[in-house]
Amino acid sequence: MKPFILPIVTLAATLAFAAPALARSQIQIAGSSTVLPYAKIVAETFGEIYPDYKTPIVESGGSSAGLKEFCKGVGPRTIDIANASRPMREGERENCAKNGVTGISEIVFGYDGIVFATDAAMEPMALTPLDLYKALAAELVIDGKLVENPYTRWAQVNPALPDVEITAYIPGEKHGTREVFEEKVLAVGCEESGAVDFLTKEFGEKQGEQKCIAVRKDGRAPGIDGDYTETLARVAANRSALGVFGLSFYDNNTDKLNVATIDGVTPTLATVGSGEYPVSRPLYFYVKNAHVGAIAGLKEYVDFFLSDDMAGPYGPLAEYGLVPASEAERAATKAAFDAGVTLQQTQ
């Protein structure tokens, strides 16, 4: 009879936590700069309330970078949680599985809006996805031809907009915010312009969709890979420029920024929570289930994060700017986590 041999990846994951039983005494978290301030508030409060556990280490780097780190494998040398402002992609799930990270809990803890704002010295803009698409797209369909974006001033895009140079500091490609920006602003504007039919006919569906969300590279729409404080500094240095921020960051900097309406809707906790504001999104973190029970305090941290005291409508996360998930949503998420329901099982 042949001896039973564990697959190499499974064997490595099994041995990773074989000894000691608690392989690391401090939770390690990385990922989205949008989720960063919420996770820091929870981590610091967790460290104060639970003195038996060390305060978790929370780092930024962007959703994509955090999920890449998360998917490197199982064991004390890998992070326990990845924060994300977008859902995990299929390719990321496949990369996780390849490296033995197969039990993943997806946690939605609240909602946020993506806002467009200028320096407080400027008048607030009234924008639409079509305006933003026409101003920021790499190419536009004009008179039946695909041409490089010719617009240099906002008033050329829409006469109702200010007659100032087009400059927009948008999320870099490492940010989960970028994907939402592409999906809910550029793709919508492309469709409203009527360019989708032309592009898919000329280039096929996949390439046509990519051309819809391609951003101009002439210096008028630089991607910011740092956090929102970098975008704020750029806007402060160029007062007529437009910056893209998370709602909570804007709410904490209203003295420095004037926010634009999108389709006539002002972004607020109420309009994001109701879905009236068109550029909103859920916020996530992903938990490596193999680390639960092996990393001190990991389960307790997740439960604490989802508690009414932290993520509820009167908790510190809402005070900072989070649009809370409902009590029923959070209860269902916590029950699924406690039951060990994985992302793979919910696909």
Side-chain angles (χ1 to χ4, degrees):
M1 181 178 178
K2 291 183 179 179
F4 176 72
I5 301 174
L6 283 170
I8 292 174
V9 171
T10 307
L11 180 61
T14 303
L15 295 177
F17 284 121
L22 290 177
R24 186 172 6 93
S25 60
Q26 194 168 27
I27 300 165
Q28 294 183 354
I29 304 165
S32 165
S33 59
T34 301
V35 177
L36 177 68
Y38 301 123
K40 279 193 168 182
I41 291 168
V42 176
E44 289 165 7
T45 310
F46 180 80
E48 292 170 3
I49 291 179
Y50 293 91
D52 291 343
Y53 303 122
K54 292 183 179 179
T55 300
I57 297 170
V58 185
E59 296 179 341
S60 187
S63 299
S64 296
L67 287 164
K68 183 178 180 181
E69 193 68 26
F70 180 84
C71 289
K72 281 186 175 179
V74 172
R77 295 184 180 180
T78 66
I79 65 172
D80 312 301
I81 290 175
N83 294 328
S85 56
R86 59 164 176 81
M88 184 182 280
R89 297 171 182 148
E90 183 179 352
E92 289 165 334
R93 294 196 301 270
E94 290 171 354
N95 186 46
C96 266
K98 182 182 72 175
N99 293 322
V101 185
T102 55
I104 302 168
S105 285
E106 180 180 75
I107 308 293
V108 174
F109 65 90
Y111 300 86
D112 185 33
I114 297 174
V115 308
F116 302 81
T118 53
D119 185 86
M122 299 292 292
E123 288 295 316
M125 298 174 75
L127 294 167
T128 67
L130 178 59
D131 294 333
L132 289 160
Y133 169 73
K134 289 171 69 175
L136 305 179
E139 298 173 296
L140 297 172
V141 178
I142 298 177
D143 296 330
K145 295 181 181 179
L146 185 65
V147 298
E148 287 188 14
N149 193 327
Y151 300 128
T152 59
R153 303 181 74 82
W154 285 101
Q156 294 172 329
V157 168
N158 180 343
L161 295 175
D163 189 17
V164 296
E165 291 278 336
I166 294 172
T167 304
Y169 299 111
I170 67 173
E173 293 181 357
K174 293 180 181 179
H175 283 279
T177 308
R178 177 59 173 260
E179 188 170 306
V180 181
F181 171 73
E182 291 171 346
E183 176 188 337
K184 297 203 170 186
V185 177
L186 296 181
V188 171
C190 183
E191 185 170 353
E192 290 178 354
S193 76
V196 173
D197 292 340
F198 177 93
L199 293 171
T200 53
K201 183 178 179 181
E202 290 291 315
F203 301 99
E205 186 173 350
K206 187 173 182 180
Q207 191 177 352
E209 288 174 356
Q210 287 303 307
K211 282 190 170 290
C212 260
I213 62 174
V215 174
R216 61 196 305 172
K217 301 291 186 184
D218 57 0
R220 296 188 180 277
I224 305 300
D225 285 328
D227 59 22
Y228 293 131
T229 56
E230 182 180 346
T231 305
L232 180 63
R234 299 283 192 100
V235 170
N238 182 358
R239 292 187 172 185
S240 64
L242 190 71
V244 180
F245 303 93
L247 174 65
S248 62
F249 185 89
Y250 162 72
D251 278 344
N252 286 277
N253 290 277
T254 53
D255 58 326
K256 303 179 183 71
L257 295 167
N258 265 336
V259 73
T261 59
I262 301 293
D263 286 339
V265 181
T266 302
T268 64
L269 295 180
T271 59
V272 169
S274 68
E276 182 185 1
Y277 182 67
V279 196
S280 56
R281 54 167 174 194
L283 298 177
Y284 305 81
F285 61 88
Y286 291 89
V287 184
K288 197 173 292 179
N289 290 347
H291 288 199
V292 176
I295 301 299
L298 183 55
K299 181 184 184 304
E300 290 79 3
Y301 171 84
V302 176
D303 288 344
F304 184 62
F305 201 128
L306 292 171
S307 70
D308 197 59
D309 288 341
M310 291 307 299
Y314 303 106
L317 304 191
E319 185 177 334
Y320 187 86
L322 179 73
V323 179
S326 70
E327 185 176 356
E329 282 181 277
R330 285 183 285 110
T333 300
K334 183 180 180 302
F337 173 70
D338 290 344
V341 175
T342 67
L343 178 62
Q344 292 85 349
Q345 291 170 330
T346 58
Q347 295 303 306

